[in-house]
Amino acid sequence: MNKFEALGLGEAIIKAVNDMGFETPSEVQEKAIPVLLDEDTDIVALAQTGTGKTAAFGFPLIEKVDSTSRITQGLILSPTRELCLQITNELKNYSKFIPQLRTVAIYGGASIHEQSKEIKRGAQIIVATPGRMQDMINRKMVDISNIGYCILDEADEMLNMGFYEDINAILSHTPDDKSTWLFSATMPREVATIAKRFMHNPVEITVGHKNTGSKNVSHEYYVVNSRDRYAALKRLADANPDIFSVIFCRTKRDTQKVAENLIQDGYNAAALHGDLSQNQRDLVMKSFRKRQIQMLVATDVAARGIDVDDITHVINYQLPDEIETYTHRSGRTGRAGKSGVSMVIVSKSELRKIKTVERIIKKSFEKKEIPSGEEICQVQLFHLASDIGKAEINHEIDSYLPSINEVLEDFSKEELIKKFFSVEFSRFHNYYKKAKDLNAVGGDDRRDDSRRNGSTRYFINVGEKDGFDWMTLKDFLKETLDLGRDAVSRVDVKESFSFFNTDVEHQQKILDIFEEYTLDGRNVNVEISKDSGRNRGGRRRKGGANGGGFKGSRRSDGFKPKGRNRNDSQRGSASSNNRRDKRKRSDRR
Ligand code: ADP
Ligand code: MG
């Protein structure tokens, strides 16, 4: 008897399990499945992302449902459309040897009438997002008054996303004697409240430590100056040529921007966030699954629960506000028994947060250095050599061989290799050979850089009359100059002009950018303030800090064309006011 049979599962599911190649039940499956098969009980099961919760409720649900009846008997609520589709697909796989069993997904952003038709054709199991479910109940398109099982999957996330009221309302349409199965990665107070309110003496199952990540994931952090965050990201990617990663940003806006920059710099990247249409999101996910995208830049909500195996790296471009979110992020890698790395890029001022995360996930982080240009070149060179070694030969060029041979006949194999690598590799190498060290010095020194390195004070001829206050001017400068969060300091806005400071090293760049700059049709002028008295240095910043990657189309000049910056900010000061407000809450999705 195999280990799944021992849990009490029937023949049809065992056959599907064998087809899927599952050999041993995961811990949550081992604990939950026998209980759920045995009795009709409520259950609260807490287990990390990636531990196989879908099968832990999916297998017993399929066993319990009467496939000869067309009545809807099981309802699974899940937070996002992506998860909803994922669960539906899994359930279809599990039940592929039970032909009459139909599982139907309902979620927002697709035709409600199509979904209603699907349900009319008979759906013993419905997998739904709470919003769409509510909608369909109100329109009498679904009948859940006879369900025996209601599953709340990723309950913590549904509550995070503000679905409490929806869940409440949906459950009020279900019979009192149903069983409720709640699955969650974490147990915040809101989840405990749901458990108390809607469940009767639930069996409780906890797998592993609450809040700890998968044991297959190692955690690393890199300390850089804020302004070097993006350059650091590129180095991390370049140092891992086979990277297949999810990069997490805190806001939709940063997500979009980082993805755009990566694409512009020649990486296979895309953004995933709530401002994209469902269609766009589906396309992105499809390309990601097919590995056409190597770097998926995502918000926490959009990436929640994404079940793509083999993700090699999770990169925290910024740390999340809440530590539980970190657990979800890092759970995207190290799945299905594989190992993975979760990297965090931090500035010195955020170092303390690493300690807090360590304490809560009960794992320690390793402090690593952003690789130098030379290390990256080595890695890429060997990677290229090994790719060449593995490449399949294309015989279409055979007919040109004699003439190619003639051109190259005087060279030895060694010389040919060198020449070949020079052609393929020189640009990349030149780009990185003078790259500066991106690791922030004195990791535990929390003083701000401007004071240590000397800073420059500037005069700028815009002020209150142009609609700026110190915050909007700081935002405007940071965006226009493409500098990090802390790079602009001491912003002092007067009526028709203002002052600000940056590190000396940005001086030349700033003067260049503002040399010919217009805002709402008028010239914006920046000069070094007479009273700064500290304008030493002022050399042009080396391009080397911008990372690049190679492979033909990859660019090695990370600087954005000036024109782009200019267009951006021509939207003017009035809009920059609004932009800040809008960013607050809705920007996390
Ligand atoms: P969770 O919901 O806990 O985040 P999933 O149910 O999405 O995890 O499962 C994660 C991955 O592990 C899926 O690809 C799933 O097919 C696979 N999986 C689940 N159970 C097993 C098992 N017993 N053996 C091997 N792989 C499994
Ligand atoms: Mg899940």
Side-chain angles (χ1 to χ4, degrees):
M1 186 151 80
N2 89 13
K3 290 178 182 153
F4 283 95
E5 283 174 80
L7 298 179
L9 295 167
E11 203 182 325
I13 288 186
I14 297 295
K15 259 171 87 179
V17 165
N18 289 337
D19 270 18
M20 288 183 296
F22 292 7
E23 285 169 6
T24 357
S26 69
E27 194 179 340
V28 67
Q29 292 163 3
E30 200 152 41
K31 287 184 170 164
I33 293 171
V35 174
L36 296 176
L37 287 177
D38 236 37
E39 46 188 318
D40 279 335
T41 175
D42 288 354
I43 191 171
V44 173
L46 299 181
Q48 286 315 308
T49 340
T51 51
K53 293 192 287 296
T54 318
F57 62 76
F59 290 170
L61 180 64
I62 290 168
E63 290 286 355
K64 296 244 167 177
V65 159
D66 176 4
S67 62
T68 60
S69 152
R70 283 164 41 105
I71 289 176
T72 299
Q73 301 156 55
L75 170 66
I76 299 164
L77 292 176
S78 101
T80 64
R81 165 196 167 104
E82 278 77 20
L83 274 174
C84 194
L85 287 167
Q86 219 168 268
I87 295 168
T88 309
N89 280 335
E90 288 268 312
L91 291 194
K92 284 182 175 164
N93 274 336
Y94 304 162
S95 64
K96 69 175 173 193
F97 297 108
I98 311 174
Q100 314 93 306
L101 184 69
R102 277 176 44 87
T103 303
V104 172
I106 66 181
Y107 47 84
S111 158
I112 198 165
H113 297 288
E114 284 301 317
Q115 292 175 357
S116 166
K117 260 193 232 160
E118 282 292 300
I119 287 175
K120 284 214 183 77
R121 292 179 51 205
Q124 291 93 344
I125 299 174
I126 292 177
V127 188
T129 53
R132 176 54 63 100
M133 188 67 204
Q134 260 286 69
D135 206 1
M136 294 189 75
I137 291 174
N138 291 341
R139 299 195 199 193
K140 308 228 173 334
M141 288 169 159
V142 284
D143 176 8
I144 51 170
S145 62
N146 290 306
I147 63 169
Y149 307 92
C150 180
I151 290 113
L152 306 173
D153 190 27
E154 308 255 8
D156 51 351
E157 189 57 22
M158 284 200 283
L159 297 172
N160 260 347
M161 290 174 65
F163 284 135
Y164 181 83
E165 293 304 326
D166 286 299
I167 293 174
N168 214 342
I170 293 166
L171 291 180
S172 71
H173 294 273
T174 62
D176 286 339
D177 62 355
K178 67 172 182 308
S179 301
T180 306
W181 303 349
L182 183 152
F183 283 77
S184 187
T186 61
M187 184 75 170
R189 211 181 40 233
E190 294 82 353
V191 174
T193 310
I194 286 250
K196 255 201 221 110
R197 170 117 198 245
F198 296 108
M199 301 169 78
H200 311 286
N201 293 329
V203 174
E204 287 185 37
I205 288 178
T206 305
V207 170
H209 290 287
K210 279 183 211 171
N211 296 341
T212 57
S214 153
K215 62 177 183 303
N216 298 327
V217 180
S218 53
H219 304 263
E220 303 175 346
Y221 70 95
Y222 297 81
V223 188
V224 303
N225 293 317
S226 289
R227 61 174 177 275
D228 290 330
R229 234 177 247 280
Y230 177 68
L233 172 65
K234 292 211 289 188
R235 292 243 190 130
L236 293 174
D238 287 342
N240 295 284
D242 283 323
I243 196 167
F244 181 53
S245 60
V246 184
I247 294 145
F248 286 97
C249 296
R250 260 204 298 251
T251 64
K252 288 193 278 204
R253 195 162 159 278
D254 288 345
T255 303
Q256 183 65 29
K257 193 166 159 212
V258 169
E260 275 172 16
N261 288 347
L262 285 172
I263 292 165
Q264 194 179 351
D265 291 338
Y267 296 85
N268 300 320
L272 186 74
H273 55 68
D275 279 353
L276 303 176
S277 71
Q278 292 293 1
N279 226 344
Q280 287 170 313
R281 285 211 256 170
D282 286 349
L283 281 176
V284 168
M285 280 313 298
K286 210 165 145 191
S287 326
F288 187 55
R289 279 182 219 284
K290 285 200 199 145
R291 308 290 192 106
Q292 288 156 343
I293 290 170
Q294 267 186 296
M295 302 173 83
L296 180 69
V297 192
T299 58
D300 289 297
V301 175
R304 183 63 200 276
I306 285 177
D307 175 29
V308 175
D309 289 340
D310 305 331
I311 289 172
T312 58
H313 295 77
V314 162
I315 303 180
N316 294 262
Y317 187 76
Q318 295 140 336
L319 269 177
D321 290 332
E322 291 180 21
I323 287 153
E324 301 212 320
T325 308
Y326 180 81
T327 313
H328 290 309
R329 289 180 175 186
S330 54
R332 299 295 113 228
T333 183
R335 295 166 76 80
K338 306 231 173 57
S339 64
V341 183
S342 172
M343 300 172 152
V344 185
I345 304 175
V346 283
S347 65
K348 276 176 284 178
S349 60
E350 297 169 310
L351 267 177
R352 257 177 318 146
K353 286 198 198 163
I354 293 283
K355 294 251 154 45
T356 317
V357 176
E358 283 182 326
R359 210 176 52 235
I360 290 182
I361 69 170
K362 298 195 176 76
K363 288 206 147 198
S364 43
F365 277 77
E366 193 181 344
K367 180 176 190 295
K368 301 273 280 240
E369 302 269 298
I370 297 286
S372 67
E374 197 181 318
E375 281 166 64
I376 290 174
C377 284
Q378 277 180 17
V379 170
Q380 292 275 356
L381 197 53
F382 284 110
H383 187 254
L384 179 58
S386 115
D387 267 2
I388 292 170
K390 285 186 286 192
E392 272 189 39
I393 290 175
N394 175 349
H395 287 285
E396 279 170 40
I397 62 164
D398 287 359
S399 57
Y400 306 111
L401 267 189
S403 21
I404 293 174
N405 268 334
E406 245 169 69
V407 178
L408 301 174
E409 69 188 346
D410 291 339
F411 303 111
S412 68
K413 173 180 172 188
E414 199 157 299
E415 281 169 324
L416 280 176
I417 292 176
K418 283 186 187 163
K419 278 176 177 288
F420 177 81
F421 274 85
S422 306
V423 171
E424 276 292 301
F425 201 67
S426 286
R427 212 175 64 154
F428 191 75
H429 180 255
N430 285 341
Y431 173 57
Y432 261 128
K433 80 183 165 203
K434 287 194 193 125
K436 70 164 188 172
D437 183 2
L438 291 183
N439 297 290
V441 276
D444 47 2
D445 180 359
R446 300 222 173 87
R447 269 185 319 163
D448 103 37
D449 284 324
S450 64
R451 252 153 274 159
R452 196 170 45 240
N453 300 340
S455 93
T456 302
R457 190 150 180 83
Y458 307 83
F459 162 92
I460 185 168
N461 66 337
V462 295
E464 285 163 8
K465 71 173 172 31
D466 305 287
F468 286 109
D469 61 20
W470 70 271
M471 278 195 289
T472 49
L473 182 63
K474 193 169 176 175
D475 281 352
F476 163 75
L477 289 168
K478 281 189 312 200
E479 276 175 35
T480 310
L481 303 172
D482 193 24
L483 298 177
R485 179 209 287 255
D486 305 316
V488 178
S489 59
R490 293 181 59 202
V491 180
D492 196 0
V493 178
K494 312 281 183 206
E495 166 139 25
S496 55
F497 59 88
S498 311
F499 294 99
F500 64 94
N501 275 43
T502 73
D503 283 3
V504 166
E505 67 169 316
H506 300 311
Q507 191 171 298
Q508 194 60 49
K509 181 181 174 193
I510 290 170
L511 295 179
D512 284 352
I513 287 176
F514 282 108
E515 200 165 68
E516 283 178 23
Y517 194 98
T518 52
L519 180 66
D520 297 338
R522 98 169 231 250
N523 279 327
V524 175
N525 197 355
V526 170
E527 286 165 29
I528 293 176
S529 164
K530 293 279 180 340
D531 73 8
S532 84
R534 279 176 288 178
N535 50 352
R536 58 191 167 81
R539 266 176 301 125
R540 194 178 281 274
R541 188 173 160 194
K542 288 256 159 54
N546 294 281
F550 76 114
K551 286 199 179 150
S553 70
R554 285 191 176 183
R555 295 162 51 120
S556 47
D557 58 338
F559 278 135
K560 282 187 277 173
K562 265 190 186 176
R564 223 177 80 107
N565 286 330
R566 210 170 288 158
N567 286 337
D568 248 348
S569 34
Q570 267 175 352
R571 274 179 277 155
S573 51
S575 67
S576 65
N577 277 324
N578 302 337
R579 257 181 274 154
R580 235 203 26 252
D581 292 343
K582 272 191 266 167
R583 218 176 295 154
K584 280 181 200 150
R585 236 210 125 95
S586 64
D587 205 17
R588 300 282 151 89
R589 295 280 130 105

